[in-house]
Amino acid sequence: MSLIPELTHNSFASNGIILSWNYITNAQNYKIYRMIYSDGTTIPTPQASDLLVTLHGGIIKYIDKTVTTDQLYIYFIRSTTNNTENNLSS
């Protein structure tokens, strides 16, 4: 059983970027990190300051309404189970 969320869908809508991911059994929460993807080739490693939102473990969809159309973003998701933060999505 994988404890690493996989981003299963992302799309741009008029109200923001829609993210969804697979459900992780016993997830206490999901942390979504967002970074500006500046050069388009090197995948950055998110830092604590890149945390966008923490969601309850039953939620597997989020709309990022704080984006601007002239930026390229990269997202990472991390689940927490048994009070342990698991690896980031890739």
Side-chain angles (χ1 to χ4, degrees):
M1 173 178 68
S2 177
L3 300 176
I4 303 170
E6 292 180 34
L7 191 60
T8 57
H9 179 77
N10 65 338
S11 62
F12 186 78
S14 61
N15 60 341
I17 295 178
I18 302 168
L19 304 169
S20 59
W21 54 93
N22 61 306
Y23 177 80
I24 303 295
T25 303
N26 298 323
Q28 295 164 300
N29 63 53
Y30 296 100
K31 292 184 177 182
I32 300 176
Y33 297 83
R34 181 186 73 191
M35 302 174 68
I36 294 175
Y37 196 29
S38 57
D39 69 8
T41 58
T42 305
I43 297 176
T45 302
Q47 306 300 314
S49 60
D50 299 313
L51 180 64
L52 178 63
V53 65
T54 300
L55 302 170
H56 182 270
I59 298 172
I60 58 170
K61 182 177 179 181
Y62 177 75
I63 300 174
D64 182 359
K65 297 178 181 180
T66 63
V67 296
T68 58
T69 56
D70 60 343
Q71 291 289 338
L72 183 61
Y73 299 98
I74 187 167
Y75 293 87
F76 296 91
I77 303 171
R78 168 178 278 156
S79 68
T80 301
T81 55
N82 298 320
N83 298 316
T84 301
E85 287 192 349
N86 301 303
N87 291 336
L88 287 164
S89 61
S90 55

